[in-house]
PDB file of all heavy atoms in Angstrom:
ATOM      1  N   ARG A   1      86.069  94.486 128.026  1.00 93.00           N
ATOM      2  CA  ARG A   1      84.681  94.988 128.216  1.00 93.00           C
ATOM      3  C   ARG A   1      84.617  96.404 127.686  1.00 93.00           C
ATOM      4  O   ARG A   1      85.191  97.320 128.254  1.00 93.00           O
ATOM      5  CB  ARG A   1      84.270  94.963 129.685  1.00 93.00           C
ATOM      6  CG  ARG A   1      82.847  95.435 129.936  1.00 93.00           C
ATOM      7  CD  ARG A   1      82.522  95.407 131.400  1.00 93.00           C
ATOM      8  NE  ARG A   1      83.340  96.290 132.182  1.00 93.00           N
ATOM      9  CZ  ARG A   1      83.470  96.232 133.496  1.00 93.00           C
ATOM     10  NH1 ARG A   1      82.884  95.296 134.171  1.00 93.00           N
ATOM     11  NH2 ARG A   1      84.261  97.118 134.131  1.00 93.00           N
ATOM     12  N   LEU A   2      83.902  96.620 126.593  1.00 95.00           N
ATOM     13  CA  LEU A   2      83.771  97.928 125.985  1.00 95.00           C
ATOM     14  C   LEU A   2      82.313  98.214 125.704  1.00 95.00           C
ATOM     15  O   LEU A   2      81.461  97.309 125.631  1.00 95.00           O
ATOM     16  CB  LEU A   2      84.545  98.029 124.638  1.00 95.00           C
ATOM     17  CG  LEU A   2      86.078  97.798 124.692  1.00 95.00           C
ATOM     18  CD1 LEU A   2      86.628  97.866 123.308  1.00 95.00           C
ATOM     19  CD2 LEU A   2      86.731  98.811 125.594  1.00 95.00           C
ATOM     20  N   SER A   3      81.990  99.469 125.582  1.00 96.00           N
ATOM     21  CA  SER A   3      80.632  99.842 125.236  1.00 96.00           C
ATOM     22  C   SER A   3      80.336  99.573 123.778  1.00 96.00           C
ATOM     23  O   SER A   3      81.252  99.424 122.937  1.00 96.00           O
ATOM     24  CB  SER A   3      80.422 101.360 125.513  1.00 96.00           C
ATOM     25  OG  SER A   3      81.139 102.150 124.567  1.00 96.00           O
ATOM     26  N   GLN A   4      79.061  99.502 123.427  1.00 97.00           N
ATOM     27  CA  GLN A   4      78.696  99.291 122.017  1.00 97.00           C
ATOM     28  C   GLN A   4      79.217 100.383 121.128  1.00 97.00           C
ATOM     29  O   GLN A   4      79.689 100.151 120.017  1.00 97.00           O
ATOM     30  CB  GLN A   4      77.180  99.191 121.880  1.00 97.00           C
ATOM     31  CG  GLN A   4      76.739  98.944 120.432  1.00 97.00           C
ATOM     32  CD  GLN A   4      75.215  98.654 120.311  1.00 97.00           C
ATOM     33  OE1 GLN A   4      74.541  98.401 121.319  1.00 97.00           O
ATOM     34  NE2 GLN A   4      74.712  98.682 119.114  1.00 97.00           N
ATOM     35  N   GLN A   5      79.186 101.633 121.624  1.00 97.00           N
ATOM     36  CA  GLN A   5      79.670 102.745 120.817  1.00 97.00           C
ATOM     37  C   GLN A   5      81.163 102.599 120.543  1.00 97.00           C
ATOM     38  O   GLN A   5      81.614 102.853 119.431  1.00 97.00           O
ATOM     39  CB  GLN A   5      79.417 104.053 121.553  1.00 97.00           C
ATOM     40  CG  GLN A   5      79.867 105.297 120.780  1.00 97.00           C
ATOM     41  CD  GLN A   5      79.615 106.565 121.551  1.00 97.00           C
ATOM     42  OE1 GLN A   5      79.491 106.577 122.771  1.00 97.00           O
ATOM     43  NE2 GLN A   5      79.535 107.707 120.858  1.00 97.00           N
ATOM     44  N   GLU A   6      81.938 102.174 121.570  1.00 97.00           N
ATOM     45  CA  GLU A   6      83.359 101.949 121.345  1.00 97.00           C
ATOM     46  C   GLU A   6      83.640 100.850 120.380  1.00 97.00           C
ATOM     47  O   GLU A   6      84.538 100.979 119.505  1.00 97.00           O
ATOM     48  CB  GLU A   6      84.022 101.695 122.695  1.00 97.00           C
ATOM     49  CG  GLU A   6      84.076 102.906 123.635  1.00 97.00           C
ATOM     50  CD  GLU A   6      84.541 102.553 125.029  1.00 97.00           C
ATOM     51  OE1 GLU A   6      84.228 101.392 125.497  1.00 97.00           O
ATOM     52  OE2 GLU A   6      85.153 103.399 125.724  1.00 97.00           O
ATOM     53  N   VAL A   7      82.899  99.768 120.446  1.00 98.00           N
ATOM     54  CA  VAL A   7      83.044  98.660 119.556  1.00 98.00           C
ATOM     55  C   VAL A   7      82.777  99.069 118.131  1.00 98.00           C
ATOM     56  O   VAL A   7      83.554  98.714 117.187  1.00 98.00           O
ATOM     57  CB  VAL A   7      82.130  97.462 119.959  1.00 98.00           C
ATOM     58  CG1 VAL A   7      82.109  96.423 118.876  1.00 98.00           C
ATOM     59  CG2 VAL A   7      82.647  96.837 121.262  1.00 98.00           C
ATOM     60  N   GLU A   8      81.700  99.829 117.932  1.00 98.00           N
ATOM     61  CA  GLU A   8      81.341 100.239 116.561  1.00 98.00           C
ATOM     62  C   GLU A   8      82.423 101.175 115.981  1.00 98.00           C
ATOM     63  O   GLU A   8      82.724 101.099 114.768  1.00 98.00           O
ATOM     64  CB  GLU A   8      79.975 100.956 116.539  1.00 98.00           C
ATOM     65  CG  GLU A   8      78.822 100.099 117.049  1.00 98.00           C
ATOM     66  CD  GLU A   8      78.548  98.852 116.210  1.00 98.00           C
ATOM     67  OE1 GLU A   8      79.180  98.736 115.123  1.00 98.00           O
ATOM     68  OE2 GLU A   8      77.828  97.981 116.637  1.00 98.00           O
ATOM     69  N   LYS A   9      82.968 102.013 116.840  1.00 97.00           N
ATOM     70  CA  LYS A   9      84.054 102.923 116.352  1.00 97.00           C
ATOM     71  C   LYS A   9      85.249 102.107 115.889  1.00 97.00           C
ATOM     72  O   LYS A   9      85.896 102.450 114.881  1.00 97.00           O
ATOM     73  CB  LYS A   9      84.459 103.895 117.463  1.00 97.00           C
ATOM     74  CG  LYS A   9      83.492 105.021 117.744  1.00 97.00           C
ATOM     75  CD  LYS A   9      84.030 105.906 118.844  1.00 97.00           C
ATOM     76  CE  LYS A   9      83.066 107.035 119.132  1.00 97.00           C
ATOM     77  NZ  LYS A   9      83.617 107.905 120.237  1.00 97.00           N
ATOM     78  N   LEU A  10      85.592 101.100 116.619  1.00 98.00           N
ATOM     79  CA  LEU A  10      86.772 100.258 116.282  1.00 98.00           C
ATOM     80  C   LEU A  10      86.530  99.418 115.018  1.00 98.00           C
ATOM     81  O   LEU A  10      87.456  99.276 114.230  1.00 98.00           O
ATOM     82  CB  LEU A  10      87.122  99.358 117.462  1.00 98.00           C
ATOM     83  CG  LEU A  10      87.697 100.102 118.698  1.00 98.00           C
ATOM     84  CD1 LEU A  10      87.526  99.241 119.941  1.00 98.00           C
ATOM     85  CD2 LEU A  10      89.151 100.438 118.461  1.00 98.00           C
ATOM     86  N   ILE A  11      85.373  98.917 114.876  1.00 98.00           N
ATOM     87  CA  ILE A  11      85.064  98.122 113.650  1.00 98.00           C
ATOM     88  C   ILE A  11      85.176  99.016 112.427  1.00 98.00           C
ATOM     89  O   ILE A  11      85.815  98.691 111.413  1.00 98.00           O
ATOM     90  CB  ILE A  11      83.636  97.481 113.730  1.00 98.00           C
ATOM     91  CG1 ILE A  11      83.637  96.396 114.817  1.00 98.00           C
ATOM     92  CG2 ILE A  11      83.237  96.910 112.395  1.00 98.00           C
ATOM     93  CD1 ILE A  11      82.239  95.846 115.089  1.00 98.00           C
ATOM     94  N   ALA A  12      84.536 100.231 112.512  1.00 98.00           N
ATOM     95  CA  ALA A  12      84.604 101.167 111.395  1.00 98.00           C
ATOM     96  C   ALA A  12      86.063 101.604 111.156  1.00 98.00           C
ATOM     97  O   ALA A  12      86.454 101.768 110.009  1.00 98.00           O
ATOM     98  CB  ALA A  12      83.736 102.368 111.718  1.00 98.00           C
ATOM     99  N   ALA A  13      86.845 101.737 112.222  1.00 98.00           N
ATOM    100  CA  ALA A  13      88.230 102.129 112.063  1.00 98.00           C
ATOM    101  C   ALA A  13      89.013 101.065 111.296  1.00 98.00           C
ATOM    102  O   ALA A  13      89.842 101.371 110.491  1.00 98.00           O
ATOM    103  CB  ALA A  13      88.842 102.362 113.447  1.00 98.00           C
ATOM    104  N   GLY A  14      88.762  99.775 111.648  1.00 98.00           N
ATOM    105  CA  GLY A  14      89.450  98.710 110.884  1.00 98.00           C
ATOM    106  C   GLY A  14      89.103  98.698 109.400  1.00 98.00           C
ATOM    107  O   GLY A  14      89.977  98.500 108.575  1.00 98.00           O
ATOM    108  N   GLN A  15      87.827  98.947 109.090  1.00 97.00           N
ATOM    109  CA  GLN A  15      87.439  98.995 107.707  1.00 97.00           C
ATOM    110  C   GLN A  15      88.056 100.179 106.977  1.00 97.00           C
ATOM    111  O   GLN A  15      88.625 100.028 105.883  1.00 97.00           O
ATOM    112  CB  GLN A  15      85.870  99.123 107.647  1.00 97.00           C
ATOM    113  CG  GLN A  15      85.152  97.898 108.187  1.00 97.00           C
ATOM    114  CD  GLN A  15      83.666  98.130 108.401  1.00 97.00           C
ATOM    115  OE1 GLN A  15      83.194  99.308 108.457  1.00 97.00           O
ATOM    116  NE2 GLN A  15      82.899  97.064 108.482  1.00 97.00           N
ATOM    117  N   ASP A  16      88.018 101.331 107.577  1.00 97.00           N
ATOM    118  CA  ASP A  16      88.585 102.551 106.955  1.00 97.00           C
ATOM    119  C   ASP A  16      90.094 102.452 106.844  1.00 97.00           C
ATOM    120  O   ASP A  16      90.666 102.896 105.827  1.00 97.00           O
ATOM    121  CB  ASP A  16      88.197 103.782 107.754  1.00 97.00           C
ATOM    122  CG  ASP A  16      86.707 104.060 107.759  1.00 97.00           C
ATOM    123  OD1 ASP A  16      85.989 103.429 106.895  1.00 97.00           O
ATOM    124  OD2 ASP A  16      86.226 104.859 108.593  1.00 97.00           O
ATOM    125  N   ALA A  17      90.756 101.933 107.852  1.00 97.00           N
ATOM    126  CA  ALA A  17      92.217 101.874 107.864  1.00 97.00           C
ATOM    127  C   ALA A  17      92.686 100.938 106.721  1.00 97.00           C
ATOM    128  O   ALA A  17      93.735 101.270 106.067  1.00 97.00           O
ATOM    129  CB  ALA A  17      92.760 101.402 109.195  1.00 97.00           C
ATOM    130  N   LEU A  18      92.011  99.830 106.494  1.00 97.00           N
ATOM    131  CA  LEU A  18      92.409  98.974 105.367  1.00 97.00           C
ATOM    132  C   LEU A  18      92.204  99.687 104.023  1.00 97.00           C
ATOM    133  O   LEU A  18      93.050  99.617 103.152  1.00 97.00           O
ATOM    134  CB  LEU A  18      91.633  97.655 105.429  1.00 97.00           C
ATOM    135  CG  LEU A  18      91.992  96.665 104.313  1.00 97.00           C
ATOM    136  CD1 LEU A  18      93.443  96.198 104.406  1.00 97.00           C
ATOM    137  CD2 LEU A  18      91.037  95.460 104.329  1.00 97.00           C
ATOM    138  N   GLN A  19      91.101 100.354 103.928  1.00 95.00           N
ATOM    139  CA  GLN A  19      90.773 101.065 102.694  1.00 95.00           C
ATOM    140  C   GLN A  19      91.838 102.131 102.372  1.00 95.00           C
ATOM    141  O   GLN A  19      92.165 102.364 101.207  1.00 95.00           O
ATOM    142  CB  GLN A  19      89.408 101.774 102.782  1.00 95.00           C
ATOM    143  CG  GLN A  19      88.215 100.845 102.550  1.00 95.00           C
ATOM    144  CD  GLN A  19      86.920 101.617 102.529  1.00 95.00           C
ATOM    145  OE1 GLN A  19      86.623 102.395 103.462  1.00 95.00           O
ATOM    146  NE2 GLN A  19      86.156 101.474 101.486  1.00 95.00           N
ATOM    147  N   ARG A  20      92.401 102.748 103.397  1.00 95.00           N
ATOM    148  CA  ARG A  20      93.371 103.843 103.224  1.00 95.00           C
ATOM    149  C   ARG A  20      94.807 103.359 103.182  1.00 95.00           C
ATOM    150  O   ARG A  20      95.718 104.175 102.996  1.00 95.00           O
ATOM    151  CB  ARG A  20      93.213 104.854 104.320  1.00 95.00           C
ATOM    152  CG  ARG A  20      91.855 105.511 104.365  1.00 95.00           C
ATOM    153  CD  ARG A  20      91.766 106.579 105.441  1.00 95.00           C
ATOM    154  NE  ARG A  20      90.420 107.081 105.652  1.00 95.00           N
ATOM    155  CZ  ARG A  20      90.066 108.081 106.442  1.00 95.00           C
ATOM    156  NH1 ARG A  20      91.053 108.741 107.071  1.00 95.00           N
ATOM    157  NH2 ARG A  20      88.809 108.463 106.566  1.00 95.00           N
ATOM    158  N   ASN A  21      95.051 102.071 103.439  1.00 96.00           N
ATOM    159  CA  ASN A  21      96.444 101.622 103.564  1.00 96.00           C
ATOM    160  C   ASN A  21      97.118 101.545 102.219  1.00 96.00           C
ATOM    161  O   ASN A  21      96.685 100.878 101.307  1.00 96.00           O
ATOM    162  CB  ASN A  21      96.402 100.190 104.212  1.00 96.00           C
ATOM    163  CG  ASN A  21      97.797  99.694 104.483  1.00 96.00           C
ATOM    164  OD1 ASN A  21      98.380  98.992 103.698  1.00 96.00           O
ATOM    165  ND2 ASN A  21      98.323 100.020 105.653  1.00 96.00           N
ATOM    166  N   ALA A  22      98.246 102.249 102.116  1.00 95.00           N
ATOM    167  CA  ALA A  22      98.952 102.386 100.849  1.00 95.00           C
ATOM    168  C   ALA A  22      99.536 101.066 100.370  1.00 95.00           C
ATOM    169  O   ALA A  22      99.527 100.722  99.178  1.00 95.00           O
ATOM    170  CB  ALA A  22     100.104 103.415 100.963  1.00 95.00           C
ATOM    171  N   MET A  23     100.009 100.231 101.309  1.00 95.00           N
ATOM    172  CA  MET A  23     100.550  98.949 100.961  1.00 95.00           C
ATOM    173  C   MET A  23      99.485  97.998 100.373  1.00 95.00           C
ATOM    174  O   MET A  23      99.708  97.282  99.398  1.00 95.00           O
ATOM    175  CB  MET A  23     101.205  98.303 102.193  1.00 95.00           C
ATOM    176  CG  MET A  23     102.041  97.037 101.847  1.00 95.00           C
ATOM    177  SD  MET A  23     103.436  97.396 100.780  1.00 95.00           S
ATOM    178  CE  MET A  23     104.390  98.453 101.848  1.00 95.00           C
ATOM    179  N   PHE A  24      98.312  98.022 100.976  1.00 96.00           N
ATOM    180  CA  PHE A  24      97.212  97.246 100.469  1.00 96.00           C
ATOM    181  C   PHE A  24      96.798  97.661  99.101  1.00 96.00           C
ATOM    182  O   PHE A  24      96.530  96.843  98.231  1.00 96.00           O
ATOM    183  CB  PHE A  24      96.049  97.346 101.456  1.00 96.00           C
ATOM    184  CG  PHE A  24      94.861  96.460 101.093  1.00 96.00           C
ATOM    185  CD1 PHE A  24      94.995  95.081 101.037  1.00 96.00           C
ATOM    186  CD2 PHE A  24      93.593  97.032 100.833  1.00 96.00           C
ATOM    187  CE1 PHE A  24      93.913  94.284 100.700  1.00 96.00           C
ATOM    188  CE2 PHE A  24      92.510  96.226 100.524  1.00 96.00           C
ATOM    189  CZ  PHE A  24      92.698  94.875 100.473  1.00 96.00           C
ATOM    190  N   HIS A  25      96.775  98.974  98.843  1.00 93.00           N
ATOM    191  CA  HIS A  25      96.434  99.466  97.513  1.00 93.00           C
ATOM    192  C   HIS A  25      97.491  99.075  96.495  1.00 93.00           C
ATOM    193  O   HIS A  25      97.194  98.772  95.327  1.00 93.00           O
ATOM    194  CB  HIS A  25      96.227 100.962  97.543  1.00 93.00           C
ATOM    195  CG  HIS A  25      94.860 101.386  98.008  1.00 93.00           C
ATOM    196  ND1 HIS A  25      93.757 101.299  97.248  1.00 93.00           N
ATOM    197  CD2 HIS A  25      94.439 101.824  99.221  1.00 93.00           C
ATOM    198  CE1 HIS A  25      92.659 101.730  97.888  1.00 93.00           C
ATOM    199  NE2 HIS A  25      93.089 102.026  99.120  1.00 93.00           N
ATOM    200  N   ALA A  26      98.747  99.076  96.919  1.00 94.00           N
ATOM    201  CA  ALA A  26      99.834  98.637  96.008  1.00 94.00           C
ATOM    202  C   ALA A  26      99.644  97.197  95.638  1.00 94.00           C
ATOM    203  O   ALA A  26      99.831  96.811  94.465  1.00 94.00           O
ATOM    204  CB  ALA A  26     101.200  98.873  96.673  1.00 94.00           C
ATOM    205  N   PHE A  27      99.284  96.379  96.578  1.00 95.00           N
ATOM    206  CA  PHE A  27      99.056  94.968  96.323  1.00 95.00           C
ATOM    207  C   PHE A  27      97.877  94.815  95.356  1.00 95.00           C
ATOM    208  O   PHE A  27      97.970  94.034  94.379  1.00 95.00           O
ATOM    209  CB  PHE A  27      98.756  94.263  97.664  1.00 95.00           C
ATOM    210  CG  PHE A  27      98.267  92.824  97.499  1.00 95.00           C
ATOM    211  CD1 PHE A  27      99.139  91.807  97.142  1.00 95.00           C
ATOM    212  CD2 PHE A  27      96.945  92.547  97.699  1.00 95.00           C
ATOM    213  CE1 PHE A  27      98.701  90.515  97.006  1.00 95.00           C
ATOM    214  CE2 PHE A  27      96.485  91.214  97.576  1.00 95.00           C
ATOM    215  CZ  PHE A  27      97.377  90.237  97.208  1.00 95.00           C
ATOM    216  N   LEU A  28      96.761  95.471  95.604  1.00 92.00           N
ATOM    217  CA  LEU A  28      95.592  95.386  94.726  1.00 92.00           C
ATOM    218  C   LEU A  28      95.904  95.841  93.315  1.00 92.00           C
ATOM    219  O   LEU A  28      95.527  95.215  92.336  1.00 92.00           O
ATOM    220  CB  LEU A  28      94.441  96.218  95.258  1.00 92.00           C
ATOM    221  CG  LEU A  28      93.810  95.717  96.599  1.00 92.00           C
ATOM    222  CD1 LEU A  28      92.698  96.690  97.008  1.00 92.00           C
ATOM    223  CD2 LEU A  28      93.261  94.316  96.406  1.00 92.00           C
ATOM    224  N   SER A  29      96.676  96.916  93.193  1.00 91.00           N
ATOM    225  CA  SER A  29      97.064  97.419  91.857  1.00 91.00           C
ATOM    226  C   SER A  29      97.897  96.357  91.127  1.00 91.00           C
ATOM    227  O   SER A  29      97.764  96.134  89.949  1.00 91.00           O
ATOM    228  CB  SER A  29      97.859  98.713  91.992  1.00 91.00           C
ATOM    229  OG  SER A  29      97.097  99.749  92.530  1.00 91.00           O
ATOM    230  N   SER A  30      98.763  95.700  91.874  1.00 90.00           N
ATOM    231  CA  SER A  30      99.637  94.702  91.284  1.00 90.00           C
ATOM    232  C   SER A  30      98.855  93.495  90.763  1.00 90.00           C
ATOM    233  O   SER A  30      99.066  93.034  89.646  1.00 90.00           O
ATOM    234  CB  SER A  30     100.679  94.248  92.330  1.00 90.00           C
ATOM    235  OG  SER A  30     101.549  93.258  91.785  1.00 90.00           O
ATOM    236  N   ILE A  31      97.919  93.013  91.544  1.00 86.00           N
ATOM    237  CA  ILE A  31      97.159  91.818  91.097  1.00 86.00           C
ATOM    238  C   ILE A  31      96.120  92.135  90.070  1.00 86.00           C
ATOM    239  O   ILE A  31      95.651  91.251  89.306  1.00 86.00           O
ATOM    240  CB  ILE A  31      96.542  91.043  92.277  1.00 86.00           C
ATOM    241  CG1 ILE A  31      95.441  91.886  92.971  1.00 86.00           C
ATOM    242  CG2 ILE A  31      97.578  90.589  93.269  1.00 86.00           C
ATOM    243  CD1 ILE A  31      94.703  91.110  94.054  1.00 86.00           C
ATOM    244  N   ASN A  32      95.768  93.424  89.977  1.00 75.00           N
ATOM    245  CA  ASN A  32      94.815  93.853  88.960  1.00 75.00           C
ATOM    246  C   ASN A  32      95.463  94.165  87.647  1.00 75.00           C
ATOM    247  O   ASN A  32      94.828  94.609  86.671  1.00 75.00           O
ATOM    248  CB  ASN A  32      93.972  95.068  89.453  1.00 75.00           C
ATOM    249  CG  ASN A  32      92.945  94.683  90.462  1.00 75.00           C
ATOM    250  OD1 ASN A  32      92.441  93.547  90.440  1.00 75.00           O
ATOM    251  ND2 ASN A  32      92.604  95.582  91.354  1.00 75.00           N
ATOM    252  N   GLY A  33      96.816  94.080  87.622  1.00 61.00           N
ATOM    253  CA  GLY A  33      97.551  94.370  86.374  1.00 61.00           C
ATOM    254  C   GLY A  33      97.729  95.805  86.052  1.00 61.00           C
ATOM    255  O   GLY A  33      98.131  96.151  84.962  1.00 61.00           O
ATOM    256  N   LYS A  34      97.548  96.660  87.035  1.00 45.00           N
ATOM    257  CA  LYS A  34      97.717  98.096  86.831  1.00 45.00           C
ATOM    258  C   LYS A  34      99.136  98.505  87.204  1.00 45.00           C
ATOM    259  O   LYS A  34      99.906  97.688  87.731  1.00 45.00           O
ATOM    260  CB  LYS A  34      96.698  98.873  87.686  1.00 45.00           C
ATOM    261  CG  LYS A  34      95.259  98.588  87.292  1.00 45.00           C
ATOM    262  CD  LYS A  34      94.302  99.292  88.217  1.00 45.00           C
ATOM    263  CE  LYS A  34      92.857  98.959  87.901  1.00 45.00           C
ATOM    264  NZ  LYS A  34      91.904  99.626  88.826  1.00 45.00           N
ATOM    265  N   VAL A  35      99.458  99.789  87.003  1.00 37.00           N
ATOM    266  CA  VAL A  35     100.770 100.262  87.406  1.00 37.00           C
ATOM    267  C   VAL A  35     100.921 100.191  88.910  1.00 37.00           C
ATOM    268  O   VAL A  35     100.023 100.598  89.654  1.00 37.00           O
ATOM    269  CB  VAL A  35     100.959 101.721  86.919  1.00 37.00           C
ATOM    270  CG1 VAL A  35     102.285 102.263  87.408  1.00 37.00           C
ATOM    271  CG2 VAL A  35     100.866 101.808  85.404  1.00 37.00           C
ATOM    272  N   LEU A  36     101.991  99.634  89.387  1.00 34.00           N
ATOM    273  CA  LEU A  36     102.221  99.438  90.808  1.00 34.00           C
ATOM    274  C   LEU A  36     102.356 100.790  91.495  1.00 34.00           C
ATOM    275  O   LEU A  36     103.143 101.621  91.114  1.00 34.00           O
ATOM    276  CB  LEU A  36     103.460  98.592  91.028  1.00 34.00           C
ATOM    277  CG  LEU A  36     103.771  98.213  92.466  1.00 34.00           C
ATOM    278  CD1 LEU A  36     102.712  97.263  92.995  1.00 34.00           C
ATOM    279  CD2 LEU A  36     105.171  97.545  92.559  1.00 34.00           C
ATOM    280  N   THR A  37     101.596 100.949  92.552  1.00 35.00           N
ATOM    281  CA  THR A  37     101.657 102.173  93.342  1.00 35.00           C
ATOM    282  C   THR A  37     103.072 102.336  93.935  1.00 35.00           C
ATOM    283  O   THR A  37     103.647 101.352  94.374  1.00 35.00           O
ATOM    284  CB  THR A  37     100.653 102.131  94.505  1.00 35.00           C
ATOM    285  OG1 THR A  37      99.339 101.933  93.914  1.00 35.00           O
ATOM    286  CG2 THR A  37     100.648 103.414  95.279  1.00 35.00           C
ATOM    287  N   THR A  38     103.594 103.511  93.922  1.00 33.00           N
ATOM    288  CA  THR A  38     104.965 103.712  94.475  1.00 33.00           C
ATOM    289  C   THR A  38     104.890 103.763  96.006  1.00 33.00           C
ATOM    290  O   THR A  38     104.351 104.716  96.593  1.00 33.00           O
ATOM    291  CB  THR A  38     105.541 105.044  93.956  1.00 33.00           C
ATOM    292  OG1 THR A  38     105.607 104.960  92.552  1.00 33.00           O
ATOM    293  CG2 THR A  38     106.957 105.233  94.498  1.00 33.00           C
ATOM    294  N   VAL A  39     105.402 102.726  96.629  1.00 37.00           N
ATOM    295  CA  VAL A  39     105.449 102.623  98.093  1.00 37.00           C
ATOM    296  C   VAL A  39     106.870 102.168  98.453  1.00 37.00           C
ATOM    297  O   VAL A  39     107.336 101.157  98.011  1.00 37.00           O
ATOM    298  CB  VAL A  39     104.391 101.626  98.648  1.00 37.00           C
ATOM    299  CG1 VAL A  39     104.503 101.577 100.169  1.00 37.00           C
ATOM    300  CG2 VAL A  39     103.009 102.019  98.204  1.00 37.00           C
ATOM    301  N   SER A  40     107.544 102.937  99.286  1.00 37.00           N
ATOM    302  CA  SER A  40     108.955 102.716  99.540  1.00 37.00           C
ATOM    303  C   SER A  40     109.214 101.359 100.210  1.00 37.00           C
ATOM    304  O   SER A  40     110.256 100.788 100.018  1.00 37.00           O
ATOM    305  CB  SER A  40     109.521 103.873 100.451  1.00 37.00           C
ATOM    306  OG  SER A  40     108.839 103.869 101.676  1.00 37.00           O
TER     307      SER A  40
END
């Protein structure tokens, strides 16, 4: 049971966290045929 404000914060956090995730960007770069992002 969470407030609407808390729910909206978490949804936005999920969207932003995926956008900023280095591993996800490395994967996208790989399937787009670009130089693979350096991720250890």
Side-chain angles (χ1 to χ4, degrees):
R1 181 180 64 195
L2 297 178
S3 69
Q4 180 173 348
Q5 182 182 21
E6 289 170 328
V7 167
E8 300 299 350
K9 285 181 180 179
L10 289 160
I11 293 173
Q15 295 168 341
D16 294 345
L18 181 64
Q19 281 185 307
R20 300 183 188 187
N21 185 267
M23 190 63 65
F24 183 60
H25 279 282
F27 171 75
L28 292 179
S29 296
S30 180
I31 65 175
N32 285 331
K34 299 176 182 178
V35 176
L36 185 66
T37 304
T38 301
V39 180
S40 60

